[in-house]
Amino acid sequence: MKKIYQIVLPILLFTLVGNVEAQISFKNKNTKLINSNFHSGCTMDIADWNFDGLDDIIRLDDGRIANIEVQRTNATFQNISIGTFSSTSGWSWGMVTTDLDHNGYLDIIAGAGVQH
């Protein structure tokens, strides 16, 4: 009986898993953003920047210029540019938003491995 389970169970699992699709659906809703043609190509994060319960989009343009698309309650966004991380050219490949210094405001932390 144990030998039957060793043969049938892997076949059954393979059959069940083989029918599962991993692709999720995606709809481009860039038109809801202030600048719908803006594609950073770099790091971005989703966080509740202003603590209103809505997700905001934080992006680094050119890998160093911080822009925040603040979501409003009427399903629109307001763009806020908060400045440049560095005057030197370099691309940040990682970013996180967190209250690093525990002052109640989110901080943007970005890092890069090399300078271009």
Side-chain angles (χ1 to χ4, degrees):
M1 186 72 153
K2 187 177 180 182
K3 197 169 195 170
I4 292 173
Y5 284 122
Q6 290 175 339
I7 296 171
V8 173
L9 187 60
I11 293 171
L12 182 62
L13 287 174
F14 180 75
T15 304
L16 292 175
V17 173
N19 291 332
V20 176
E21 292 185 34
Q23 184 64 39
I24 59 171
S25 62
F26 176 79
K27 292 183 181 179
N28 187 353
K29 296 291 185 177
N30 276 359
T31 56
K32 292 189 176 225
L33 300 175
I34 297 294
N35 184 354
S36 62
N37 292 322
F38 179 80
H39 302 284
S40 100
C42 289
T43 56
M44 60 184 292
D45 195 11
I46 307 294
D48 186 5
W49 181 259
N50 54 357
F51 304 106
D52 62 356
L54 301 172
D55 290 332
D56 306 310
I57 303 169
I58 300 101
R59 296 186 271 195
L60 292 181
D61 185 20
D62 197 25
R64 58 191 174 94
I65 304 166
N67 290 289
I68 303 172
E69 295 281 346
V70 179
Q71 187 176 176
R72 299 296 178 199
T73 55
N74 61 355
T76 62
F77 287 86
Q78 173 189 1
N79 185 43
I80 300 173
S81 180
I82 61 171
T84 303
F85 269 64
S86 172
S87 60
T88 62
S89 64
W91 289 70
S92 295
W93 49 262
M95 176 176 68
V96 67
T97 53
T98 187
D99 185 6
L100 187 66
D101 54 5
H102 304 288
N103 66 355
Y105 298 100
L106 291 178
D107 303 304
I108 299 174
I109 299 106
V114 295
Q115 289 258 334
H116 293 273

